[in-house]
Amino acid sequence: VVGAVKGKVPVLFDGGIRRGTDVFKALALGAQAVLIGRPAVYGLAAKGEYGVKRVIEMLRDELELTMALSGCPTLNHISRKHVRTKHERPRAML
């Protein structure tokens, strides 16, 4: 999708975000924003407003750790080179 719109439309990633590493991958694949509906609802159901805040803190902390381990000091440093898709993985010749 990112390649198809060629920067003309912002790409928002919605669905499947459960961890900070998921946020990192979505941003590396070109998303300008990541939506976190279900985790926020889980936090709300478990602990109300505090639960939502805690979910957001956990996602942020996990994203920051992933960025640090990947050598990305800011969000702008996350790039396509940080991820490989299923089709880009090396395959065994056995």
Side-chain angles (χ1 to χ4, degrees):
V1 172
V2 173
V5 299
K6 298 178 181 161
K8 296 176 185 172
V9 178
V11 175
L12 308 179
F13 190 95
D14 185 20
I17 299 296
R18 302 291 179 268
R19 297 178 295 271
T21 54
D22 298 330
V23 175
F24 183 88
K25 289 183 264 187
L27 295 173
L29 290 170
Q32 280 80 34
V34 177
L35 308 175
I36 55 162
R38 192 172 294 178
V41 170
Y42 290 159
L44 181 64
K47 297 276 186 170
E49 181 182 347
Y50 171 78
V52 175
K53 288 179 182 178
R54 188 69 187 114
V55 164
I56 293 169
E57 288 170 2
M58 290 169 57
L59 286 170
R60 184 198 63 223
D61 292 346
E62 292 170 358
L63 173 60
E64 288 176 354
L65 177 60
T66 304
M67 288 171 58
L69 293 172
S70 301
C72 299
T74 68
L75 292 175
N76 291 334
H77 286 88
I78 300 173
S79 69
R80 185 68 177 80
K81 71 177 184 169
H82 289 101
V83 293
R84 284 191 211 164
T85 65
K86 179 177 159 182
H87 302 290
E88 297 169 328
R89 292 186 185 140
R91 297 177 188 215
M93 300 297 282
L94 302 176

